[in-house]
Amino acid sequence: MDFQISARQRELMEAAQEAFARRLRPMLEDSTVEGVRKIRRAMAEQGLLGLNMPESCGGLGLPLLDTLLIIRTLQTCAPILGGLAHRTSTGAVGAIAEYGTDDQRRRFVEPLCRGELGISIAITEPEAGSAATAMKTKARIDGDSVVLNGRKQFVSFVNVNECSLVYCRFGNSGKASDIGAVIVPHDAPGFSHSRGTLNMADELLFELYFDDCRVPRSNVLLDGNAFGKLISVYNAERLGSVARMLGSAQASYEFALEYAKERRQFGRDIADFQGIQWMLADMRVKLDAAQMLVYRAAASAQQTGLPVPLETSIAKVFTAKAAKEICDDAIQICGANGYTKEYPLAHRYAEVRGGSIYGGTLQIHKNMIAAAILGRDNSQWKK
Ligand SMILES: Cc1cc2nc3c(=O)[nH]c(=O)nc-3n(C[C@H](O)[C@H](O)[C@H](O)COP(=O)(O)OP(=O)(O)OC[C@H]3O[C@@H](n4cnc5c(N)ncnc54)[C@H](O)[C@@H]3O)c2cc1C
């Protein structure tokens, strides 16, 4: 196992930092929907979208590890950049690249890599959070169309994205085997969404409504018996989010490190105090340990193209916890300044906090780890 970042990987990370400094940083001031779409197009021009998507679909064809290194680098620069790189590389787009038809790759993956399109992922429902397979949203084939009825909640970036990958049921058995997925454009008849609810990190989470929502049958990605398939690709999405948490933790650590060297109390730098030094040391230990677990999980994708579930869950559980603690310690080191919204740390903390909930809560990942190490069934359903 090679623990070193290669010269090529370092070049990729430096190129991302340079694109940020030269082209993207001035664009960040415009956080309107149109502003975000402009950033997305500029990122495509800089080769920062579709990082691990196949070259035949307009992607860069990078291995998962290189992809995560770039997502993490962009996240340290600005969370919105890490988010866009993630969603167009390890996000819902991955399921279309993996299981889609040539026509679906042409209509969705290619424009996603060009920054012309964004895609949300819609799994969660009011009665189906951690128990995702309890979802009720239904899809019915009707001639050349597929008709959806139901409701999703807590879906991210719906206002900025033009379509969603919607997990839904294609049968009436009530079992997980009914679950498939449909690509729903946000201008489809019968589709609407709420105005959004702000989360702790000031991002909007949306409810989606499907009221006899009709889309072409050619938008069906998988028509049942697909939950396992969808979740194996979703593990790459989980690692994309984990790379973002690492990026935010790293940015917070570096910020606090500099602050500790400059802030003076009792006639000395606060970095002179052992209480501060040990916090910084703990932050660095956690950051490096999390990084190793994320790299290991990403490297596991070299075998099958998809990351190993156990290693993904281990990386997620450790990093989500470590990132919360690192961001919290960074705020502590910066005192009242760190707690204000003038400083970037409160937002970083709020953002990584969500990582213990989305993409499977930490408790759900620990259930999966325990089932794997004990060799037991992971079903949580009441018998
Ligand atoms: C920032 C953010 C962005 C999100 N974006 C999206 C998105 O884009 N698309 C989407 O579909 N969803 C999204 N979600 C929703 C997310 O996937 C769900 O919140 C998550 O699956 C948990 O569901 P829940 O919130 O209903 O919690 P619940 O399932 O109600 O869980 C409540 C608590 O019970 C615990 N619990 C539940 N079952 C078990 C068990 N068997 N063992 C132990 N503990 C258990 C949980 O860990 C949690 O602590 C997002 C959430 C957040 C916070």
Side-chain angles (χ1 to χ4, degrees):
M1 191 186 255
D2 187 355
F3 289 99
Q4 302 305 315
I5 300 283
S6 70
R8 167 84 185 126
Q9 287 166 333
R10 197 160 297 287
E11 264 173 37
L12 289 168
M13 290 156 72
E14 282 166 7
Q17 272 164 340
E18 205 186 306
F20 166 68
R22 197 169 23 83
R23 175 87 194 273
L24 303 170
R25 195 200 316 249
M27 302 180 77
L28 299 183
E29 273 165 33
D30 184 357
S31 58
T32 61
V33 167
E34 200 33 56
V36 174
R37 288 180 176 158
K38 275 188 194 152
I39 296 169
R40 198 172 69 188
R41 287 193 290 273
M43 285 178 75
E45 284 162 22
Q46 302 293 309
L48 297 172
L49 301 188
L51 301 167
N52 60 332
M53 288 298 102
E55 288 173 279
S56 58
C57 297
L60 273 75
L62 295 175
L64 185 58
L65 177 52
D66 298 19
T67 299
L68 298 188
L69 290 171
I70 299 173
I71 292 173
R72 175 192 175 163
T73 302
L74 289 168
Q75 179 76 17
T76 58
C77 298
I80 186 168
L81 302 181
L84 285 165
H86 161 51
R87 289 196 295 282
T88 58
S89 304
T90 42
V93 62
I96 309 177
E98 186 78 17
Y99 303 117
T101 60
D102 286 347
D103 169 61
Q104 287 170 345
R105 290 198 195 98
R106 187 183 49 73
R107 285 193 293 134
F108 299 104
V109 183
E110 290 182 21
L112 270 148
C113 293
R114 290 195 298 266
E116 293 164 7
L117 202 66
I119 189 163
S120 294
I121 185 159
I123 308 173
T124 310
E125 297 184 5
E127 303 305 323
S130 297
T133 55
M135 68 182 66
K136 293 194 180 119
T137 298
K138 281 212 64 174
R140 172 175 56 83
I141 303 290
D142 181 24
D144 288 340
S145 303
V146 56
V147 180
L148 289 99
N149 279 287
R151 176 177 158 201
K152 297 285 176 183
Q153 69 176 10
F154 301 136
V155 182
S156 310
F157 308 107
V158 177
N159 53 340
V160 177
N161 292 338
E162 289 81 358
C163 58
S164 288
L165 181 67
V166 180
Y167 286 33
C168 50
R169 281 188 180 279
F170 277 83
N172 298 315
S173 75
K175 295 185 180 157
S177 55
D178 285 342
I179 295 170
V182 178
I183 307 158
V184 178
H186 292 166
D187 59 0
F191 173 86
S192 58
H193 64 79
S194 65
R195 297 177 63 184
T197 305
L198 278 180
N199 69 18
M200 227 172 119
D202 291 332
E203 295 161 343
L204 290 166
L205 295 176
F206 295 88
E207 290 197 9
L208 309 188
Y209 311 109
F210 305 90
D211 190 6
D212 279 332
C213 168
R214 190 172 283 271
V215 298
R217 189 174 177 171
S218 57
N219 283 21
V220 175
L221 180 67
L222 291 160
D223 63 356
N225 233 348
F227 193 67
K229 282 184 178 173
L230 290 164
I231 292 298
S232 7
V233 180
Y234 192 59
N235 279 323
E237 167 137 14
R238 286 170 164 152
L239 287 180
S241 314
V242 170
R244 294 191 62 200
M245 286 184 241
L246 263 184
S248 280
Q250 183 186 337
S252 303
Y253 159 76
E254 285 170 359
F255 193 95
L257 190 66
E258 289 313 306
Y259 187 90
K261 290 191 271 186
E262 280 162 23
R263 172 72 175 159
R264 290 179 70 79
Q265 285 294 281
F266 300 98
R268 313 164 68 183
D269 298 342
I270 60 167
D272 287 342
F273 302 123
Q274 196 172 50
I276 297 288
Q277 290 174 1
W278 283 10
M279 280 169 85
L280 287 166
D282 279 341
M283 289 158 83
R284 178 60 191 266
V285 168
K286 287 173 194 167
L287 197 56
D288 281 15
Q291 176 173 289
M292 289 299 156
L293 289 174
V294 177
Y295 294 174
R296 182 182 73 160
S300 76
Q302 275 163 8
Q303 315 274 311
T304 61
L306 295 172
V308 170
L310 175 62
E311 293 179 5
T312 303
S313 290
I314 291 173
K316 154 116 188 188
V317 167
F318 188 86
T319 307
K321 187 163 175 283
K324 277 187 292 196
E325 291 168 357
I326 292 167
C327 292
D328 188 40
D329 281 351
I331 292 173
Q332 192 67 19
I333 289 171
C334 297
N337 276 326
Y339 190 63
T340 66
K341 288 200 170 181
E342 295 294 307
Y343 274 48
L345 302 175
H347 185 262
R348 293 279 187 188
Y349 176 80
E351 220 191 347
V352 302
R353 185 63 188 83
S356 297
I357 300 171
Y358 61 68
T361 67
L362 295 195
Q363 290 70 37
I364 293 299
H365 281 277
K366 287 184 194 179
N367 289 343
M368 295 195 279
I369 295 168
I373 61 181
L374 289 166
R376 292 193 184 164
D377 177 17
N378 178 37
S379 174
Q380 303 293 307
W381 288 98
K382 195 171 176 185
K383 299 278 184 300

